[in-house]
Amino acid sequence: MAIIEVRDLSKQFRVARPREGARGPLARVRREYTDVRAVERVSFDVEPGEMVGYIGPNGAGKSTTIKMLTGILVPSGGRLTVAGFEPSRQRKEMARHIGVVFGQRTQLWWDLPLADSFTLLKHIYRVPDERFAANLGRCIDTMEMAEFLRTPVRQLSLGQRMRGELTAALLHNPEVLYLDEPTIGLDVVAKSRIREFLTSLNRDAGTTILLTTHDMGDIERLCRRVIIIDRGGILYDGDLERLKARFATERTLVVDLEEPAPALDVPFATVERVEGPRQWLRFQRADTSAAELIAAVARAARIVDLRVDEPSIEDVVLRIYAGAAKGIAINDPSPG
Amino acid sequence: MRLYWEVFRHGYRRWATYRAATAAGVFTNTVFGFLRAYVLVAVFAASATIGGYDRSDALTYVFLGQGMIMAVYMWSWWEIALAIRSGDIVTDLSRPFDYQAYWLAQDLGRACYHAVFRGIPPFVVGAIVFDLRMPESPLTWVLFAASVVMAVCVSFGVRFLVNLAAFWLLDYRGVGAIATACGTFLSGFVVPVAFFPGWLAVIAHALPFRGMIQVPIDVFLEKESGGALFVMLAVQVGWAAALFAAGRLVLRAARRRVVVQGG
Amino acid sequence: MDNELRLFPRLAWSRVRGQLEYRLSFALMLIGYFVMTLADFLAIWVIFQHLPLLAGWSLGEVAFLYGTSYVSFRIADMVVGHLDMLPTLVRTGALDTVLTRPLGSLYQVVTIDFGLRHVGAIAQGLVILVIACTTAGIPWDAGRALMLLVTIACGTAIFIAIWIVGATTVFWTLGSGLEVLNAFTYGGNQMANYPINIYAGWLRRIIAFFVPLAFVTYFPSLYILAREDPLHTPELLRFASPLVALAALLVARAVWGQGIRHYQSTGS
Ligand SMILES: Nc1ncnc2c1ncn2[C@@H]1O[C@H](COP(=O)(O)OP(=O)(O)OP(=O)(O)O)[C@@H](O)[C@H]1O
Ligand SMILES: [Mg+2]
C-alpha cells in the first residue's frame, strides 16, 4: 500500500490586490481579492521506501504541496493520506510519523544550544532514551556535528544549521521525510555530506523521502523517480532514466584528430565546432549510434582520442520547463 | 529634499495598505475612548470642575487623546532596534542619506495617514455621542494642527533615542517598557496633567512627554492664550529640537561603535 | 493532552533560560513593568485626590477591583500575552513549524514564550491588592478568602480566553487583528479596573454577557466586599464566575480550531 496517496489535490490562496488603476491617497485603502491556484488536481502515490524528487520551476506549487502533506495547510479540494492519516484532520497523530525540513526556515530554538533543541524535541516526540541516544549518535557521527553541539543555533553557519535541522527531523524515526530545498545555499562538501546521509538513511532505515530542490545534482544522486510540476499541475511522473531517455535524445561526439582538418562530413551528424584538431559532432540517437558514427569518422581521419557527451539533467529539465511554458504536453505514456 | 518627500509618501503608503488594520484600530481607539469617557463622566458627576476642566473639557480631552494616540505613536515602534539586532543597520547607515531625517520623513508620512484615518473617526464618534467642546477661534485649529505635528516630532525624538539603546543593550524591551510607561502617564494621556497633584505636575512639566499629548489638547481646549500659549508651544518646539540633537549625538556615538566593532 | 501538560514546565523553563541570558535587560524589563503598573494605578489615585467616592465606591474598594483584575490580567499576560506575536508568526509563516509537531497548535503558540517579565507587574498588582484587602473594610472569613482565590483564577481564565479569541482573528485579517485584540485584552483590563456601574447600560450589557468582563472581578467582588450592588443584579451572579470562565475557555478553543484551518502560510 502506498504510504503517500494524493488524489486531485488542489489549493487556492486568496490574496489581496490593490485595485487596478486606482490612484491617489485612497488607492491603497480600497482593495479587491483574487484567487491564486497554487496546486490544481494533483494526484500521485509514493510507496514505502521510495526516494522521490519533486521538482518544478519557482512558484510551481512544490512547497504548497508539501505543506498540505504535512498538515500545515488545509487543502481546498481533493484527498490525501500519509501513513494512513489524513493530514488536516489528524495532524497531531500524523506528526509522529513524519519529519520535515524547510531549507528556508528553522525548527530549532533560536536562542538555545543545538543539543538543547534536540532534548526538547525528544520530549515533544516522546522518544525513548536509548532510541534518542542511538539516533542522535548516528547523526552526529555521519554528519560530523560534535564540535558545534553546544553552540546556540543563532550562531551556527547555514551548513551546520542544516545538519541540525535534518537531525531534528529524524530523532523520532519518521517513516516519511519531506525535504523542501534542503541543500539551498550549501557548499559542495556540505551538499555531498547531506546527500550521502540521505542515501544511507533511505537504504538502512527504509525512510520514504520526498525531496524538492533546484539542484539537479541532488536529484541525480538521490532519486530514481521524479515528479515534475509546473503552475500547479503535474507534467511528468516517472523514472528519471526514462525521462532522460525520452528527452535527452541528442548526443555530441568530441574527437581529437591526429592533425587539424576541415569540418568532417559524415552522415547523420553536424559539426558544431572546430578547434584545431578537435571537432564536436552533434547527432540524434535515433538516427545513428555512437559506434557507427565513430566508425564513419575513423574512415575519414585518424582519431587520437574521443568522448561522447550527453545533455545534463539540467538541460533536460530546462527544456521541459520551457516546453511546458509553450504548452507542449510531455506526459509519459507509461509512468514508472 | 526630493528623496525625503518620497520617503514621506512611502511612510504614508506603507500604512495605507492595511485596510483591515485601520478599521480594527479605529474600533479599538473608539472603545477605549468610551471606557475612559465613562470614568470621567462618573468623576464629574461628583465634582463640577477639576484643575480647570469641566465635564465637556474632560470628554473632549479623552477623544482628542484617542484620536492623537496613533499619530503620535508612543507605543511599540522598534524598527530601528530590530535593524540593529539583525545587523541590517550597517547597510542602512552606509546609505547616502541622513539616517535620522530619513526616519523622521517616514514617520511623518505614517503620522499623516494615522492622523486622518485613525484620528478623525474616533473623535467624530465621540462628538456624536457626547457633548464635546469645539474651539471658538478658527486660529485655534491652525495652532492645534501645528502642535500635533510638533507632538509627532517630540514622540519621534523619544522613540529614536529609545531604539538606539539597542546598540548597547541586547534586549531593548526593558527600556521600551519604561519609556512607554513614562510616555503614557506623564504625557497626560491617562489623566490630564492639570489633575496631577503639585509634585507630580512639577515632574510632568520638567519632561518632554507633555508635548506629546497634553500640549496639543490644551491648545484645542483654549486653556491658554497670548503669552502663555506662546510659551507652551515654544517649549514643545524646544523639546523636539533638543531630542533631535540628542538623537544625532547618540547616533554618532553608535556609528563609531559600529565602525570599531564591525557591527 | 497529558504529554502537553507534562511538557509545560520544560518548555516554559527553556524560554525563561533564554530570557535570563540578558540579565541587565531583564532587570530593566522588570522595572519597566513595575513603573507601568504604578502609572496605571496612579491614574486612579489621581482621580481620588479630587473626590471621596467614585460612583459610590471608595478608593479602597476600587483598588480592590483594580488589584484582582490586574493580577488576573497580568497572569494571563504572562501565560498567553505573546499571542500578540501571532500576527507576525502568521505573516512570516513561522507557524509552519508549529504545525508539524505532535502537539496542539494553540498550546505550542502559547509556549513559544513565557513572559517572566510580567512577574514585576503581577507583584505590583499584588501589593495594591494586599493594601486594598486591608483598607477596604472587608469582613474577612474563610469563604471570602477562598472566593478571592477563585476570583483570580477565573479572571485569569477569562482573560486568557479573550486573548485567544482576539488573537485568532488574525487568521482572517492576516496580521491586522492585533489592534482589535488590544481593545479586548488591555481594554478589558481597563474596564474591569472600575466598577461597572459607571458605564452606560448598553456597554454594561456587553461587558456582562458578551465579553464576560463583569465576571472577572465585579460580581465576585460584590460578595467579597459585602456590598450592595448599585445595579441590583441577581445574587447568584456573584458565584457564577467559574461557569463563565469554563464556557469562555471552550469557546476560545473552538474559535482557535476554526482559525488554524484558515492559516495560509507564506509563499517562501
Ligand atoms: N501563503 C500564500 N499566500 C498566497 N499565495 C501563495 C502562498 N503560498 C504560495 N503562494 C503562491 O502559490 C504558488 C505556488 O507557490 P509555492 O511556494 O508552492 O511554489 P514552489 O514550487 O515551492 O516555488 P519555489 O521553487 O520558488 O519555492 C505561487 O504562485 C505563490 O505565489
Ligand atoms: Mg518552495
Side-chain angles (χ1 to χ4, degrees):
Chain A
M1 214 198 80
I3 192 159
I4 303 177
E5 268 185 47
V6 178
R7 289 288 171 280
D8 293 327
L9 186 65
S10 303
K11 179 76 191 175
Q12 285 127 36
F13 291 107
R14 278 202 94 194
V15 290
R17 292 260 146 76
R19 251 163 218 246
E20 295 267 334
R23 304 211 52 175
L26 280 173
R28 313 234 157 192
V29 181
R30 314 197 47 166
R31 237 161 340 145
E32 51 197 22
Y33 293 89
T34 50
D35 280 344
V36 174
R37 291 153 183 263
V39 171
E40 255 193 300
R41 300 179 68 85
V42 160
S43 304
F44 60 86
D45 283 347
V46 177
E47 299 299 323
E50 268 194 292
M51 180 137 52
V52 179
Y54 195 59
I55 60 176
N58 289 134
K62 304 180 294 294
S63 301
T64 304
T65 312
I66 291 194
K67 283 174 189 165
M68 287 190 280
L69 287 166
T70 47
I72 294 171
L73 291 175
V74 179
S76 334
R79 279 182 301 116
L80 72 166
T81 55
V82 174
F85 299 100
E86 194 187 323
S88 64
R89 282 188 203 293
Q90 299 165 291
R91 186 187 68 71
K92 264 167 73 177
E93 294 83 346
M94 181 186 70
R96 292 185 191 288
H97 300 266
I98 65 166
V100 205
V101 174
F102 288 106
Q104 329 249 25
R105 289 237 161 87
T106 182
Q107 55 181 317
L108 304 165
W109 280 259
W110 202 238
D111 51 355
L112 294 183
L114 190 53
D116 292 16
S117 279
F118 295 153
T119 314
L120 275 175
L121 287 168
K122 165 190 184 304
H123 290 282
I124 288 175
Y125 285 91
R126 309 184 93 161
V127 185
D129 290 342
E130 322 83 72
R131 214 164 75 192
F132 175 70
N135 286 346
L136 187 56
R138 194 178 49 141
C139 289
I140 291 175
D141 290 345
T142 49
M143 291 193 286
E144 295 164 33
M145 307 199 318
E147 79 249 39
F148 54 85
L149 272 179
R150 300 293 335 155
T151 313
V153 170
R154 66 184 131 82
Q155 294 169 11
L156 293 180
S157 81
L158 188 60
Q160 291 170 335
R161 206 196 79 210
M162 199 52 69
R163 284 178 267 168
E165 302 280 351
L166 262 179
T167 308
L170 292 170
L171 289 172
H172 55 289
N173 297 92
E175 292 151 49
V176 184
L177 178 63
Y178 303 102
L179 302 168
D180 194 352
E181 304 192 32
T183 54
I184 189 168
L186 301 193
D187 70 32
V188 277
V189 181
K191 267 186 194 168
S192 88
R193 196 179 290 148
I194 282 184
R195 285 171 190 160
E196 269 163 41
F197 178 78
L198 291 176
T199 314
S200 72
L201 177 79
N202 176 254
R203 188 185 55 221
D204 304 339
T207 309
T208 310
I209 299 178
L210 186 71
L211 164 84
T212 86
T213 179
H214 291 294
D215 183 335
M216 290 306 138
D218 291 342
I219 298 293
E220 274 191 300
R221 285 312 134 64
L222 296 172
C223 305
R224 277 198 43 202
R225 174 177 165 200
V226 290
I227 298 175
I228 304 180
I229 175 174
D230 189 15
R231 278 175 280 171
I234 290 187
L235 293 180
Y236 176 88
D237 178 357
D239 214 69
L240 180 62
E241 286 309 317
R242 195 170 310 171
L243 181 73
K244 282 207 229 164
R246 272 171 52 87
F247 291 94
T249 51
E250 210 176 75
R251 296 282 185 277
T252 306
L253 175 68
V254 186
V255 287
D256 285 347
L257 306 177
E258 211 168 50
E259 47 202 45
L264 297 165
D265 182 21
V266 284
F268 303 119
T270 43
V271 176
E272 260 194 334
R273 212 166 126 201
V274 180
E275 228 173 62
R278 179 172 292 187
Q279 302 203 359
W280 281 259
L281 293 90
R282 189 154 49 93
F283 65 100
Q284 291 291 328
R285 217 183 33 177
D287 300 337
T288 179
S289 73
E292 279 169 30
L293 191 61
I294 292 167
V297 172
R299 280 194 291 276
R302 291 178 69 94
I303 303 174
V304 181
D305 198 3
L306 62 81
R307 71 166 200 271
V308 181
D309 285 350
E310 289 186 10
S312 69
I313 178 81
E314 245 147 78
D315 298 329
V316 173
V317 167
L318 185 67
R319 279 184 33 200
I320 293 175
Y321 293 174
K326 291 199 206 87
I328 301 167
I330 56 150
N331 272 329
D332 193 330
S334 53
Chain B
M1 231 26 232
R2 169 87 197 163
L3 167 73
Y4 298 110
W5 169 242
E6 284 303 323
V7 174
F8 174 89
R9 291 191 12 176
H10 172 68
Y12 178 96
R13 281 200 232 109
R14 250 175 100 189
W15 289 90
T17 320
Y18 300 109
R19 183 179 60 162
T22 301
V26 166
F27 172 79
T28 306
N29 294 149
T30 312
V31 167
F32 268 93
F34 278 97
L35 297 185
R36 299 178 53 210
Y38 283 117
V39 173
L40 288 172
V41 168
V43 168
F44 283 93
S47 169
T49 62
I50 296 177
Y53 278 55
D54 62 13
R55 188 186 129 118
S56 63
D57 283 342
L59 290 174
T60 312
Y61 151 87
V62 164
F63 283 97
L64 278 178
Q66 289 306 124
M68 282 167 54
I69 191 67
M70 268 315 276
V72 171
Y73 210 53
M74 52 191 177
W75 295 315
S76 59
W77 179 72
W78 294 118
E79 285 185 63
I80 297 178
L82 288 172
I84 294 171
R85 202 156 72 157
S86 70
D88 293 347
I89 187 85
V90 182
T91 6
D92 295 347
L93 283 179
S94 66
R95 297 240 161 84
F97 52 65
D98 184 286
Y99 194 65
Q100 193 187 34
Y102 170 86
W103 278 110
L104 177 63
Q106 173 143 330
D107 202 55
L108 287 172
R110 176 201 60 69
C112 184
Y113 177 79
H114 281 150
V116 175
F117 290 94
R118 295 283 301 268
I120 295 173
F123 187 79
V124 168
V125 174
I128 292 170
V129 177
F130 298 97
D131 179 25
L132 302 189
R133 165 145 309 148
M134 296 298 157
E136 272 157 25
S137 144
L139 178 66
T140 300
W141 285 100
V142 179
L143 287 179
F144 172 71
S147 185
V148 169
V149 174
M150 272 302 125
V152 175
C153 291
V154 170
S155 152
F156 173 80
V158 173
R159 282 181 281 128
F160 191 75
L161 279 170
V162 172
N163 268 265
L164 290 186
F167 270 111
W168 289 272
L169 295 170
L170 267 171
D171 194 328
Y172 45 81
R173 282 181 297 184
V175 190
I178 293 176
T180 305
C182 292
T184 316
F185 191 74
L186 295 174
S187 65
F189 176 70
V190 188
V191 206
V193 174
F195 289 22
F196 288 10
W199 59 275
L200 205 52
V202 170
I203 296 178
H205 278 270
L207 292 171
F209 303 108
R210 201 171 56 104
M212 288 159 49
I213 297 286
Q214 189 69 63
V215 171
I217 291 180
D218 281 348
V219 170
F220 191 91
L221 292 176
E222 298 170 325
K223 288 287 164 204
E224 310 279 358
S225 59
L229 176 62
F230 177 79
V231 169
M232 185 167 76
L233 290 173
V235 168
Q236 193 192 20
V237 175
W239 270 117
L243 287 164
F244 282 163
R248 300 192 85 78
L249 283 178
V250 174
L251 184 64
R252 192 179 308 157
R255 199 189 281 267
R256 216 171 301 132
R257 199 178 136 89
V258 170
V259 173
V260 174
Q261 298 192 344
Chain C
M1 199 58 211
D2 60 321
N3 193 22
E4 272 132 12
L5 288 177
R6 207 173 40 81
L7 270 168
F8 189 80
R10 192 176 286 280
L11 289 172
W13 173 238
S14 80
R15 295 302 77 222
V16 169
R17 212 164 19 142
Q19 292 165 32
L20 291 181
E21 259 193 54
Y22 313 119
R23 264 167 239 277
L24 171 62
S25 187
F26 187 74
L28 278 175
M29 212 130 69
L30 284 187
I31 299 171
Y33 279 74
F34 177 101
V35 176
M36 219 143 81
T37 336
L38 216 61
D40 279 345
F41 189 71
L42 270 178
I44 293 177
W45 178 80
V46 164
I47 287 174
F48 274 94
Q49 293 310 297
H50 301 277
L51 23 122
L53 289 178
L54 180 67
W57 296 66
S58 69
L59 176 59
E61 288 170 327
V62 174
F64 181 81
L65 294 179
Y66 173 90
T68 42
S69 154
Y70 204 85
V71 169
S72 307
F73 177 69
R74 288 300 173 179
I75 296 176
D77 197 1
M78 176 163 76
V79 181
V80 297
H82 33 277
L83 274 175
D84 55 20
M85 278 167 31
L86 190 65
T88 318
L89 296 183
V90 168
R91 219 169 352 175
T92 60
L95 212 58
D96 288 9
T97 311
V98 159
L99 290 170
T100 62
R101 298 220 170 107
L103 295 174
S105 48
L106 176 57
Y107 173 82
Q108 286 186 79
V109 172
V110 166
T111 51
I112 273 180
D113 197 0
F114 186 78
L116 192 64
R117 58 186 177 281
H118 295 293
V119 165
I122 295 172
Q124 270 304 294
L126 281 174
V127 168
I128 285 162
L129 182 58
V130 168
I131 295 174
C133 282
T134 53
T135 59
I138 299 170
W140 283 109
D141 55 30
R144 294 199 154 75
L146 180 68
M147 190 62 162
L148 178 59
L149 295 180
V150 171
T151 301
I152 290 176
C154 295
T156 306
I158 291 172
F159 276 124
I160 286 179
I162 292 173
W163 226 301
I164 292 170
V165 172
T168 306
T169 55
V170 335
F171 289 111
W172 290 277
T173 60
L174 278 186
S176 45
L178 186 58
E179 297 238 23
V180 179
L181 175 60
N182 286 346
F184 290 101
T185 54
Y186 289 87
N189 173 49
Q190 155 106 15
M191 198 180 295
N193 283 345
Y194 291 92
I196 65 169
N197 61 309
I198 69 170
Y199 301 113
W202 60 272
L203 194 54
R204 225 159 42 212
R205 272 185 287 281
I206 294 179
I207 308 170
F209 303 112
F210 183 61
V211 188
L213 289 163
F215 293 89
V216 169
T217 165
Y218 183 79
F219 288 131
S221 296
L222 289 173
Y223 167 73
I224 298 175
L225 295 168
R227 265 195 67 111
E228 283 281 289
D229 184 356
L231 300 168
H232 308 294
T233 51
E235 196 101 349
L236 220 56
L237 288 179
R238 304 179 180 193
F239 305 96
S241 293
L243 274 180
V244 172
L246 183 69
L249 286 177
L250 289 175
V251 168
R253 202 176 63 170
V255 171
W256 174 269
Q258 279 306 310
I260 206 85
R261 292 183 72 80
H262 267 81
Y263 176 56
Q264 291 219 338
S265 186
T266 51
S268 63

